[in-house]
Amino acid sequence: MQAFTTMKGLVAPMDRANVDTDAIIPKQFLKSIKRTGYGPFLFDEWRYKDVGQPEMDCTHRPLHSDFVLNQDRYQGASILLARENFGCGSSREHAPWALLDYGFRCVIAPGFADIFYNNCFKNGMLPVVLDDSIMDRLFAECSANEGYALSVDLNTQTVSTPSGASFPFEVDAFRQHCLLNGLDDIDLTLQDAAAIQMYEARQKKLAPWMF
Amino acid sequence: MAKTLFDKVWDQHVVKTNDDGSVLLYIDRHLVHEVTSPQAFEGLRIAGRKPWNVNAAVATPDHNVPTIDRDKGIEDPVSRIQVEALDANCKEFGITEFGMDDVRQGVVHVVGPEQGLTLPGMTVVCGDSHTATHGAFGAIAMGIGTSEVEHVLATQCLIQKKPKRMRISVEGELPVGVTGKDVVLYIIAQIGTAGGTGYAIEFAGSAIRSLSMEGRMSVCNMAIEAGARCGMVAADDVTLDYVKGRPFSPKGEQWVLAEAAWHELHSDADAEFDHEIVFNAGDIVPQVSWGTSPEMVLPVTASVPSPVDARDAVQKEGWERALVYMGLEAGVAIEAIEVDKVFIGSCTNGRIEDFREAARVAAGHKMAANVKLALIVPGSGLVKKQAEDEGLDKIFIEAGFEWREPGCSMCLAMNADRLEAGERCASTSNRNFEGRQGAGGQTHLVSPAMAAAAAIKGHFVDIRDWEFKG
Ligand code: SF4
């Protein structure tokens, strides 16, 4: 997994609550058996006027010009500002894969759906939770300043604005450790293989019907 | 110390506690389907890993399978490759699979309980958010992403932080015509789609206990729509009666042992929850969703709301956008909304009891002229067979509905069953997100009886006033 330490990037605002994973990547793209290639179809229904199909060439598809990611000033964005309950709905990891493949490494929101939040960490992507009032400020600054960029530091757990304001955020120590070092957590868990075997031996006596 | 149901099951599955308080949680049952597993199997292959306990995993294809002409296979090549990948992966890694031509195939959350693969007190995971369904058995059942699917395959464990515990009690008697589906839609409308975020929810109270296992599964199924990590119901005699005698459930001496353990699967009388909510069953009437989020739900007797009445700016904007997408105007009576299509099925409402209820409504009636299609899709091959043995298929066909093969079908429209842009649907599924049942499709979530009634009348009606002819 790709490590995440610090980044500075152009910010795009997704100013709506409850953005679900069906919106982030519609179901027809879930038929792929790969982890990559979802970027062109990120937010497909909001981004394009026609209905996208897997593996189609997106370069000449008709665009909804007012959709935020289609605006010139947000091209190349790598940080997404979002609202409450971002990533709700299905457990599809295709959602973080699509965001990542598009170029986002960090999503900042007042709250995330649990499974989506968890899925981000497995893919070297950082979900940052900040208070509503701070989010309002970031959204306002972002829309007022073209080229608005934020710095995100996972070591110090802070988001910093161009004017020098800085906001702390919380991340579990274990998740921070894995993300900072790009660790594969299967390897980590397998270091506990003996404990798992011991657990199984005990359970087989206590609840043999489970096996 | 007094424990909640969740704590009892959780504590029993902790392999190891890490310094930061997270735990290595043992997973008893891993259900697998074709959409969220190919990249996980690929990961195992690349790393040269084998499944830790191959018997814990059971697979079935459901999202992509066609609901007609099964013998012709899957027409869409991309869908076909995904189902074939599941077949090949299960074969390569030695995982039991109920393939497309197996009568046991179906929606994974219908198949698990039906086969006795889901047992009280288990930890159950699946790369699918509606894994919450299995919590109806007093199990901890959680949806996971593909990386975690790989992690569970390789280690039989998950690294987890303990969620907070919430109890939602529904007390009293449910009015006639009000089902588990209405109860859960009502709850989500009250607490919101993020109301359960960070929590494991236990559904309790006399109204929940009065539900059949099918009804309890419908309730737990949609715990995820309230944002919860999982939903649970305590195990009781209803649970044990359902589990007994299923192909994978314990037999003989093992059953006796298991039964004794399962009687403990309830929250202790003085157990403490981080949050408690109590609803009155008598307040619940048949529910219909009007918008594009499962919290945008109203009693069938209500009218589409006006954004002027929204709680705050964010909700106002959400409502405005939903009204436009749904092609609805504020103030229109729910009962005046006409539908183009009807879908009865899915992991929320694709079980035998759901089809019995729908058939009771449809019996002796004919589908309305303005309805183009009423799709009846059993949750599994065995549900289909049982329904046919009971003659339900004939009732549906007689009423002008279509009786199909099992699968997810128009719940998410990954196969050929879908809404066209602008088509409005009464659906027994669980998500009314934009485009969920087809790009531009407009979904209204309802119970099976309410969906069948909408197919007959061509618009939503209050099932409590229904003229039963069967
Ligand atoms: S029936 Fe619908 S919600 Fe259930 S598993 Fe299938 S697609 Fe998901």
Side-chain angles (χ1 to χ4, degrees):
Chain A
M1 188 182 78
Q2 198 182 351
F4 184 110
T5 49
T6 60
M7 73 174 290
K8 184 173 182 198
L10 183 68
V11 178
M14 178 65 58
D15 197 1
R16 51 166 98 180
N18 297 310
V19 171
D20 59 76
T21 53
D22 278 75
I24 297 173
I25 183 83
K27 68 243 154 194
Q28 62 269 37
F29 306 106
L30 273 51
K31 294 178 182 183
S32 165
I33 57 175
K34 298 190 291 241
R35 273 176 192 263
T36 52
Y38 299 98
F41 308 109
L42 177 71
F43 296 116
D44 197 83
E45 280 177 29
W46 293 345
R47 209 162 137 198
Y48 303 102
K49 288 184 174 157
D50 61 343
V51 177
Q53 290 307 327
E55 284 166 45
M56 82 195 284
D57 176 5
C58 294
T59 43
H60 301 295
R61 291 176 64 193
L63 297 170
H64 282 295
S65 53
D66 51 349
F67 181 62
V68 53
L69 296 187
N70 290 334
Q71 296 169 22
D72 282 344
R73 58 182 287 196
Y74 298 121
Q75 298 313 304
S78 55
I79 296 176
L80 189 67
L81 295 183
R83 293 289 189 185
E84 189 54 39
N85 206 24
F86 188 83
C88 60
S90 126
S91 66
R92 61 189 68 163
E93 203 158 315
H94 311 68
W97 293 339
L99 286 161
L100 208 57
D101 198 56
Y102 180 89
F104 289 113
R105 295 282 327 268
C106 176
V107 184
I108 309 177
F112 293 90
D114 277 344
I115 305 178
F116 175 85
Y117 184 78
N118 202 28
N119 282 341
C120 288
F121 286 97
K122 312 283 179 191
N123 292 282
M125 198 163 117
L126 179 65
V128 170
V129 179
L130 291 178
D131 272 358
D132 265 322
S133 56
I134 302 172
M135 290 310 302
D136 286 344
R137 173 171 166 181
L138 297 183
F139 270 106
E141 288 182 5
C142 179
S143 82
N145 301 291
E146 204 165 324
Y148 186 72
L150 288 171
S151 301
V152 181
D153 187 333
L154 181 57
N155 268 304
T156 58
Q157 295 178 221
T158 48
V159 172
S160 313
T161 71
S163 63
S166 134
F167 306 104
F169 60 87
E170 302 266 335
V171 183
D172 286 351
F174 179 73
R175 282 182 166 137
Q176 184 197 30
H177 173 72
C178 289
L179 200 50
L180 281 173
N181 297 292
L183 293 178
D184 169 354
D185 48 352
I186 295 182
D187 276 335
L188 285 175
T189 300
L190 286 175
Q191 289 172 10
D192 289 320
I196 303 172
Q197 279 157 350
M198 249 164 63
Y199 172 88
E200 284 180 327
R202 193 185 79 210
Q203 270 303 96
K204 276 179 185 162
K205 288 202 192 96
L206 282 174
W209 60 86
M210 299 269 214
F211 293 86
Chain B
M1 209 187 93
K3 281 187 174 185
T4 67
L5 167 63
F6 180 86
D7 288 300
K8 288 182 184 180
V9 181
W10 176 275
D11 291 351
Q12 214 180 63
H13 287 85
V14 173
V15 172
K16 184 191 158 200
T17 305
N18 299 317
D19 296 341
D20 69 341
S22 65
V23 305
L24 199 57
L25 193 74
Y26 192 81
I27 303 302
D28 300 309
R29 180 66 66 217
H30 184 188
L31 300 166
V32 178
H33 67 67
E34 80 277 21
V35 180
T36 52
S37 65
Q39 297 86 352
F41 284 114
E42 186 63 18
L44 287 187
R45 250 190 307 271
I46 291 168
R49 294 183 177 122
K50 292 260 170 294
W52 179 279
N53 173 12
V54 82
N55 295 325
V58 176
T60 191
D62 52 9
H63 287 62
N64 282 282
V65 299
T67 58
I68 39 170
D69 299 332
R70 266 297 159 80
D71 47 338
K72 291 194 191 130
I74 304 175
E75 207 182 317
D76 174 3
V78 199
S79 285
R80 190 173 62 235
I81 288 170
Q82 200 166 55
V83 171
E84 285 170 357
L86 181 69
D87 296 344
N89 284 325
C90 288
K91 212 165 153 214
E92 178 184 341
F93 290 99
I95 290 169
T96 303
E97 186 200 7
F98 306 137
M100 219 171 79
D101 48 9
D102 191 314
V103 70
R104 296 168 294 180
Q105 176 269 338
V107 181
V108 69
H109 310 306
V110 175
V111 170
E114 181 175 83
Q115 289 296 319
L117 290 161
T118 305
L119 296 174
M122 272 185 163
T123 46
V124 181
V125 298
C126 174
D128 194 285
S129 56
H130 290 99
T131 310
T133 313
H134 308 265
F137 290 80
I140 292 180
M142 297 180 291
I144 55 178
T146 297
S147 295
E148 288 183 320
V149 168
E150 185 182 340
H151 192 276
V152 173
L153 282 168
T155 69
Q156 213 51 51
C157 291
L158 274 181
I159 301 161
Q160 286 281 308
K161 258 241 151 107
K162 195 176 196 169
K164 291 180 284 184
R165 276 77 73 205
M166 182 190 305
R167 178 160 60 190
I168 297 182
S169 304
V170 186
E171 300 288 358
E173 205 173 319
L174 289 172
V176 174
V178 175
T179 66
K181 180 63 164 292
D182 300 297
V183 171
V184 73
L185 286 173
Y186 175 83
I187 291 173
I188 299 163
Q190 309 306 311
I191 72 172
T193 48
T197 304
Y199 286 95
I201 299 179
E202 178 177 345
F203 297 100
S206 53
I208 299 292
R209 280 196 302 277
S210 75
L211 294 173
S212 65
M213 283 317 292
E214 281 86 351
R216 295 177 190 184
M217 283 189 257
S218 302
V219 172
C220 288
N221 173 276
M222 291 191 71
I224 186 72
E225 260 62 63
R229 198 80 183 89
C230 64
M232 294 177 100
V233 176
D236 61 9
D237 290 342
V238 177
T239 322
L240 270 58
D241 285 347
Y242 181 99
V243 170
K244 194 164 192 173
R246 306 226 162 230
F248 287 83
S249 64
K251 311 272 168 345
E253 217 175 286
Q254 296 242 345
W255 173 264
V256 179
L257 277 174
E259 210 180 6
W262 294 344
H263 278 303
E264 299 301 314
L265 291 175
H266 53 79
S267 291
D268 294 331
D270 43 355
E272 281 184 27
F273 290 81
D274 299 289
H275 193 50
E276 287 233 45
I277 310 176
V278 181
F279 293 113
N280 178 3
D283 292 343
I284 309 176
V285 302
Q287 306 281 306
V288 181
S289 76
W290 63 269
T292 52
S293 157
E295 67 184 23
M296 297 177 182
V297 169
L298 286 168
V300 61
T301 48
S303 300
V304 174
S306 166
V308 182
D309 299 321
R311 167 183 74 219
D312 53 33
V314 175
Q315 187 178 58
K316 179 164 176 276
E317 211 204 0
W319 284 10
E320 280 166 353
R321 190 175 280 128
L323 287 177
V324 172
Y325 180 84
M326 293 297 289
L328 291 172
E329 272 177 41
V332 171
I334 297 281
E335 291 198 65
I337 299 173
E338 296 195 355
V339 300
D340 304 301
K341 285 182 176 170
V342 171
F343 171 64
I344 304 180
S346 86
C347 58
T348 317
N349 285 124
R351 300 181 180 80
I352 189 66
E353 187 184 276
D354 301 313
F355 297 108
R356 286 183 191 137
E357 279 171 15
R360 211 163 71 83
V361 171
H365 289 280
K366 291 272 181 238
M367 188 167 87
N370 62 307
V371 177
K372 291 183 222 166
L373 174 72
L375 210 53
I376 316 290
V377 184
S380 74
L382 290 171
V383 169
K384 176 168 188 262
K385 188 172 170 301
Q386 186 173 351
E388 287 171 353
D389 290 345
E390 295 178 16
L392 305 184
D393 56 327
K394 296 210 180 57
I395 295 174
F396 288 128
I397 293 165
E398 190 60 29
F401 299 3
E402 287 198 23
W403 180 246
R404 295 288 185 88
E405 299 290 335
C408 294
S409 178
M410 213 160 75
C411 173
L412 95 163
M414 260 183 94
N415 69 355
D417 310 332
R418 69 183 53 145
L419 297 181
E420 301 303 327
E423 281 183 339
R424 190 179 297 286
C425 181
S427 178
T428 66
S429 54
N430 42 51
R431 287 193 175 132
N432 50 353
F433 297 154
E434 288 184 20
R436 172 75 178 184
Q437 294 193 291
Q442 298 160 341
T443 302
H444 296 269
L445 305 174
V446 286
S447 74
M450 286 284 288
I456 300 298
K457 295 294 180 192
H459 57 88
F460 292 107
V461 292
D462 189 339
I463 195 65
R464 294 174 300 177
D465 305 330
W466 192 252
E467 183 201 346
F468 289 96
K469 292 190 182 171

